[in-house]
Amino acid sequence: MKAIGIILAGGNSNRMQELSQKRAVAAMPIAGSYRSIDFALSNMTNSRVRNVAVFTQYNARSLNEHLSSSKWWDFGRKQGGLFVFNPTITMDNSNWYLGTADSIYQNLQFLKESHEPYVIIATGDGIYKLDYNEVLEYHIQKKADITVVVKEMPVNEDVTRFGVVKLNEEYRIQEFEEKPLVASSNLVSTGIYVIRRRQLIDLIEKCALENRHDFVQDILIRYKNNKRIYAFKMKDYWSNISTVESYYKTNMDFLKSEVRDYFFHQSPEVYSKVDDNPPAKYNTGANVRNSLISSGCIINGTVENSVLFKKVFVGSNCVIKNSIILNDVYLGDNTHIENCIVESRDTIRANTYHCGEDGIKIVVEKNERYVI
Amino acid sequence: MVKKEMIAMLLAGGQGSRLGVLTSKVAKPAVAFGGKYRIIDFPLSNCINSGIDTVGVLTQYQPLRLNTHIGIGIPWDLDRNVGGVTVLPPYEKSSSSEWYTGTANAIFQNLDYMETYNPDYVLILSGDHIYKMDYEVMLDFHKANNADVTIAVMPVPIEEASRFGIVVSDENSKIQEFEEKPEHPSSNLASMGIYIFSWNVLKEALLTMKNQSNCDFGMHIIPYCHEKGMNLFSYEYNGYWKDVGTLGSYWEANMELIDIIPEFNLYEEFWKIYTKSDILPPQYISGEAKIDKSIVGEGCSISGEVYNSVISAGVTIKKGAIVRNSIIMQNTVIGEGCIVDKAIIAENVTIAGACSIGVGEEKESKLSTKIYSFGLATIGENSVIPPGVTIGKNTAIFGETTAEDYPNGVLDGGEYIIKAGEV
């Protein structure tokens, strides 16, 4: 592979509400067995990228724990591997990462010491499969300075939370608006970029001199007329999880057989850290329909149209509907959960009732757990 | 110099012929168990949980699955700079080359391996039991008694005692007598095949007995140590321990896991069991499915009904199929509208639609009454079953079968079709 990888995973999104209190968006659990960053990491390893740096900043405890061993993504190598860069205080810098460009600037040594000619930049909050080599070939063929991977969103979808682009007939980016009030097209940037390593170092150093810190504002938008910035259209599934609604929808997408087939059964695989959980157990009274159930779950009640993450305990006579129950949640008997996302490691006492009336309700109870 | 206080030698070379077609192509320790595990995971996990980080695994019979499963020991944290897991197959020597001819002979042939670690104690284990045990406590017992050999024992019903090695101990647990598979057992304390030897004792015994043919621990080494008047102690174990040597006991042990609170509980945080597992997605339970009293592995896709069964990872059970009281191993596909009752179906089996398996009267097996006699229908790995056939009880199937193999679409109770592997 002619590229190194950078995964920007430092971000927090206040549109994730209570869910982002515990962890960076990149560490959000997805589809029962995965975390969001697994998709970018698996794409990197499946594209045979051998050196990958993950930049973290906001509440990285879950993320660091998840990345504590790089062997799950085949990055545990003597040559290359996975590097996690947290912000550090040095003699000439005592700031946090001030923006995406600044995070790269503060770790510029990693770029300078590499020898691969290209860099692939991705985010930790995209759910997709992509062979970055295809983007790289396109980038070379277009003689582009920067290639931005874009996705055409359905016409009725609100895209104002994304970077919206407009292209000419050669796919060169003409307009790039970050989070516009009114979107002028339905093509959005996925936050995946390909750029020559020397070019990136130059641009980032210039940015730093001018006290600019954001990759999108200060590089993509600022340079869109003097640099050749092209768009690569991604055809398959792509979803970004940084709001509660999109997080909920993305997880629910996995109840559709075509989405499951695409991610679970078609090559290449998505990798994640392996836990030592026993298989799921269904006791008398279990009644599960159209749901994803992960390892270590014990089920005594009704579960419908829901996604249960690992080690969830569902008590007798419980009813779980249209909900997402994150890792290691204990649901006491007779509990009713509908249209909810239940935060991980929570304990819901018996006879509790939670129902999202107009929208998705996030349940965080923080009860002590006395059961074994 | 490398020094390990205790190392373990795990005997995993046996065929386990009483598991019939399940072990036609795999060694018994590599047979799947409990919806996720393989039998060898239990002693291996016990080792690492007991603080033993050096384990030699002796393989001989059909080692491929075992080798891929163990690899360099990552799932058990047995990938170590010093020690870790080492697979020890029989090897050629400049003079007499031979297979492992007995349990003790296998250990004898690996004296050099043990010597490398300069151990004080050697733990001998077998790879075919389901249990959780802290070997460190047993070692403390061994040291406290100043023992030369400690044998783990457990009480068994006296009528079954003649199947085991039986020990008679005094009130201090010192062994007075040792009888291997006695006709008239004089106690009900059975040897579990778990021994701790002080290293010099083991070495001396193995060297002295090296010309004994088929040298076996129960038959030769323990009696030898006993005759020499060494300090033999019995360490009584009272937890869950299951020998899964027959199809009946294998089926039972799996079924015990689905009780509300099973005696052997895999869901306890303490003393976890580790296994090599692929990175698998969660299981999908469709709108038509019904699951009751079962355990179901990762990556399964269930659209039929499942009752009282143990379903391993990656299994597909299609619409309208009904599975009861059965063990279905990895990546097997049960076709639409099949009825499966009291069957053991091994890995990667494809069962076409509308088959009935495990139905009809129980008849004596024509292949081997010793193996296939629990009313079970047993199907070996990679087998193929054509659509619409009926398969009776005490049957055995192995290989790709077609409609012609089933006269009138029926394989009657006690019949068998073996079209692959060694019988």
Side-chain angles (χ1 to χ4, degrees):
Chain A
M1 184 65 184
K2 291 176 290 199
I4 56 170
I6 290 178
I7 297 176
L8 303 172
N12 171 27
S13 168
N14 48 18
R15 298 180 66 179
M16 288 298 265
Q17 301 172 26
E18 293 93 326
L19 293 175
S20 67
Q21 285 177 7
K22 253 176 132 160
R23 55 179 96 69
V25 179
M28 283 304 295
I30 297 286
S33 300
Y34 304 92
R35 285 186 188 266
S36 172
I37 198 171
D38 289 335
F39 293 84
L41 282 172
S42 301
N43 288 331
M44 290 285 179
T45 195
N46 289 331
S47 304
R48 299 178 305 283
V49 179
R50 293 206 306 185
N51 276 291
V52 175
V54 177
F55 296 168
T56 69
Q57 171 153 294
Y58 178 81
N59 201 349
R61 196 194 56 79
S62 293
L63 194 56
N64 286 336
E65 190 183 310
H66 190 61
L67 302 179
S68 65
S69 170
S70 53
K71 65 181 156 204
W72 313 117
W73 304 273
D74 267 344
F75 282 125
R77 302 287 141 195
K78 280 190 299 175
Q79 306 294 321
L82 187 67
F83 304 87
V84 180
F85 294 130
N86 297 301
T88 51
I89 290 173
T90 60
M91 290 303 279
D92 39 40
N93 174 42
S94 56
N95 283 326
W96 293 92
Y97 297 150
L98 301 173
T100 43
D102 187 52
S103 71
I104 300 175
Y105 179 72
Q106 289 197 33
N107 295 296
L108 211 55
Q109 210 55 31
F110 173 73
L111 286 175
K112 287 185 168 168
E113 283 169 5
S114 303
H115 56 83
E116 288 86 345
Y118 295 97
V119 182
I120 293 158
I121 301 176
T123 61
D125 57 2
I127 309 304
Y128 63 103
K129 279 196 202 177
L130 178 62
D131 184 349
Y132 297 128
N133 292 302
E134 283 176 29
V135 189
L136 185 57
E137 271 166 36
Y138 176 89
H139 177 84
I140 295 167
Q141 182 219 324
K142 286 281 182 192
K143 298 193 172 63
D145 289 312
I146 304 173
T147 299
V148 179
V149 178
V150 300
K151 173 77 187 170
E152 195 159 354
M153 300 302 272
V155 189
N156 53 359
E157 191 154 326
D158 176 24
V159 294
T160 54
R161 69 186 173 101
F162 296 110
V164 175
V165 298
K166 257 192 167 170
L167 316 178
N168 70 8
E169 60 279 10
E170 290 190 315
Y171 282 32
R172 186 167 169 181
I173 292 178
Q174 301 288 301
E175 280 177 44
F176 194 125
E177 276 188 288
E178 182 70 357
K179 301 189 175 73
L181 286 174
V182 181
S184 55
S185 99
N186 62 335
L187 271 186
V188 304
S189 161
T190 61
I192 305 162
Y193 317 112
V194 171
I195 181 169
R196 219 156 47 79
R197 185 172 54 90
R198 297 281 356 152
Q199 174 90 269
L200 180 63
I201 293 171
D202 286 350
L203 289 171
I204 293 285
E205 281 182 333
K206 257 187 221 153
C207 263
L209 276 179
E210 294 166 355
N211 248 332
R212 297 171 188 272
H213 308 298
D214 189 64
F215 190 82
V216 173
Q217 285 296 344
D218 302 324
I219 293 181
L220 292 181
I221 295 178
R222 199 167 138 81
Y223 285 91
K224 72 174 187 300
N225 297 326
N226 13 0
K227 295 280 178 191
R228 293 166 59 85
I229 305 184
Y230 278 83
F232 173 94
K233 273 195 193 172
M234 189 161 135
K235 287 176 200 71
D236 293 320
Y237 186 97
W238 176 82
S239 167
N240 172 287
I241 55 157
S242 56
T243 67
V244 169
E245 294 71 33
S246 64
Y247 176 71
Y248 178 82
K249 183 179 170 298
T250 303
N251 276 295
M252 287 302 170
D253 276 347
F254 282 84
L255 294 180
K256 298 177 191 155
S257 71
E258 67 274 13
V259 175
R260 265 199 328 276
D261 263 4
Y262 177 65
F263 281 103
F264 294 172
H265 303 304
Q266 283 174 27
S267 173
E269 277 178 64
V270 181
Y271 309 103
S272 186
K273 185 176 173 180
V274 172
D275 290 314
D276 293 295
N277 292 319
K281 186 161 187 280
Y282 296 80
N283 292 327
T284 302
N287 180 7
V288 180
R289 267 173 286 154
N290 189 35
S291 296
L292 281 176
I293 310 291
S294 307
S295 58
C297 286
I298 300 180
I299 298 173
N300 298 291
T302 300
V303 180
E304 259 182 60
N305 308 322
S306 297
V307 178
L308 269 57
F309 284 73
K310 294 174 182 177
K311 284 176 76 182
V312 171
F313 179 91
V314 179
S316 301
N317 295 318
C318 281
V319 176
I320 317 294
K321 269 188 190 165
N322 311 323
S323 293
I324 296 170
I325 318 287
L326 298 187
N327 295 307
D328 197 12
V329 169
Y330 183 93
L331 300 165
D333 295 352
N334 311 315
T335 294
H336 184 104
I337 306 274
E338 196 170 342
N339 304 331
C340 290
I341 299 175
V342 181
E343 179 58 296
S344 62
R345 294 178 220 293
D346 216 333
T347 300
I348 309 296
R349 299 218 174 98
N351 309 312
T352 309
Y353 181 90
H354 284 292
C355 180
E357 300 293 348
D358 39 295
I360 305 308
K361 181 174 176 185
I362 296 175
V363 178
V364 183
E365 288 206 347
K366 295 185 178 162
N367 292 324
E368 290 282 329
R369 189 177 305 183
Y370 298 107
V371 289
I372 31 161
Chain B
M1 187 180 176
V2 174
K3 168 88 195 158
K4 298 276 179 187
E5 187 186 24
M6 180 156 82
I7 64 170
M9 298 297 275
L10 177 48
L11 296 156
Q15 176 182 3
S17 56
R18 281 178 306 156
L19 288 180
V21 291
L22 296 186
T23 51
S24 285
K25 297 279 275 181
V26 287
K28 178 169 154 191
V31 170
F33 185 84
K36 170 157 186 167
Y37 307 95
R38 297 191 186 277
I39 296 170
I40 197 170
D41 291 333
F42 297 90
L44 277 179
S45 301
N46 286 338
C47 279
I48 196 71
N49 287 339
S50 307
I52 299 168
D53 66 2
T54 306
V55 184
V57 179
L58 297 101
T59 62
Q60 174 156 289
Y61 176 79
Q62 291 282 10
L64 177 62
R65 180 85 39 88
L66 209 47
N67 287 337
T68 37
H69 185 66
I70 294 170
I72 59 166
I74 288 176
W76 306 273
D77 280 341
L78 285 169
D79 50 327
R80 297 290 163 133
N81 289 326
V82 179
V85 67
T86 310
V87 176
L88 302 167
Y91 55 95
E92 197 177 9
K93 302 165 199 72
S94 52
S95 55
S96 64
S97 298
E98 55 173 356
W99 293 99
Y100 294 153
T101 58
T103 51
N105 175 269
I107 303 291
F108 167 73
Q109 291 198 42
N110 288 288
L111 271 178
D112 287 348
Y113 169 80
M114 295 184 283
E115 205 95 65
T116 341
Y117 293 103
N118 191 21
D120 295 329
Y121 308 97
V122 177
L123 171 68
I124 310 285
L125 300 170
S126 67
D128 44 10
H129 300 135
I130 308 294
Y131 65 111
K132 296 180 188 177
M133 181 173 178
D134 190 344
Y135 304 131
E136 204 175 4
V137 176
M138 182 171 168
L139 178 62
D140 290 343
F141 177 89
H142 181 86
K143 287 185 203 163
N145 286 304
N146 218 355
D148 294 313
V149 186
T150 301
I151 305 176
V153 297
M154 66 180 299
V156 294
I158 192 82
E159 56 273 18
E160 280 182 38
S162 54
R163 282 174 41 210
F164 297 93
I166 293 297
V167 303
V168 181
S169 319
D170 66 14
E171 64 278 12
N172 299 320
S173 298
K174 186 157 185 196
I175 295 177
Q176 304 297 316
E177 266 180 77
F178 185 88
E179 306 159 342
E180 183 66 15
K181 301 201 170 88
E183 229 173 278
H184 304 289
S186 36
S187 117
N188 69 337
L189 283 182
S191 161
M192 298 161 68
I194 301 166
Y195 313 103
I196 291 179
F197 282 88
S198 296
W199 167 236
N200 51 352
V201 172
L202 178 65
K203 192 174 165 186
E204 192 269 333
L206 290 174
L207 285 170
T208 313
M209 301 291 283
K210 70 177 178 184
N211 294 322
Q212 171 69 47
S213 58
N214 303 334
C215 192
D216 180 271
F217 278 101
M219 301 285 277
H220 308 111
I221 298 294
I222 299 296
Y224 168 81
C225 293
H226 188 50
E227 274 161 35
K228 289 263 292 200
M230 291 180 189
N231 277 330
L232 271 64
F233 279 82
S234 63
Y235 171 75
E236 195 171 323
Y237 175 79
N238 286 301
Y240 183 93
W241 180 86
K242 194 98 182 177
D243 178 274
V244 287
T246 64
L247 286 174
S249 63
Y250 172 79
W251 180 81
E252 250 177 52
N254 273 281
M255 290 303 135
E256 283 168 5
L257 296 173
I258 62 182
D259 294 341
I260 284 264
I261 297 172
E263 199 187 337
F264 188 73
N265 195 344
L266 295 167
Y267 294 81
E268 289 166 339
E269 284 299 307
F270 177 68
W271 215 267
K272 274 196 181 181
I273 303 300
Y274 310 100
T275 185
K276 175 179 191 286
S277 69
D278 300 324
I279 299 165
L280 289 170
Q283 55 193 255
Y284 175 72
I285 312 298
S286 88
E288 300 100 6
K290 177 120 193 41
I291 307 181
D292 193 33
K293 281 195 76 185
S294 295
I295 59 181
V296 181
E298 289 173 289
C300 286
S301 164
I302 313 278
S303 308
E305 298 176 31
V306 180
Y307 306 99
N308 297 316
S309 294
V310 175
I311 314 289
S312 289
V315 169
T316 305
I317 297 181
K318 295 196 178 162
K319 237 197 306 195
I322 301 174
V323 176
R324 286 177 202 276
N325 312 315
S326 295
I327 301 166
I328 317 278
M329 298 185 203
Q330 270 185 41
N331 300 328
T332 283
V333 178
I334 310 279
E336 277 182 33
C338 285
I339 312 264
V340 179
D341 190 10
K342 224 181 161 193
I344 301 177
I345 303 179
E347 301 172 30
N348 301 312
V349 173
T350 308
I351 297 177
C355 291
S356 299
I357 299 174
V359 294
E361 269 173 67
E362 208 172 303
K363 292 184 187 160
E364 218 167 68
S365 172
K366 292 183 179 161
L367 183 57
S368 162
T369 50
K370 237 175 102 186
I371 299 175
Y372 305 101
S373 62
F374 305 91
L376 289 158
T378 311
I379 301 178
E381 60 178 30
N382 301 317
S383 296
V384 175
I385 312 288
V389 298
T390 300
I391 296 167
K393 293 178 172 146
N394 290 336
T395 47
I397 296 176
F398 193 26
E400 254 179 68
T401 63
T402 55
E404 287 85 69
D405 297 317
Y406 301 83
N408 305 320
V410 178
L411 185 73
D412 204 16
E415 296 284 346
Y416 62 93
I417 307 170
I418 306 289
K419 295 181 85 175
E422 306 154 55
V423 186

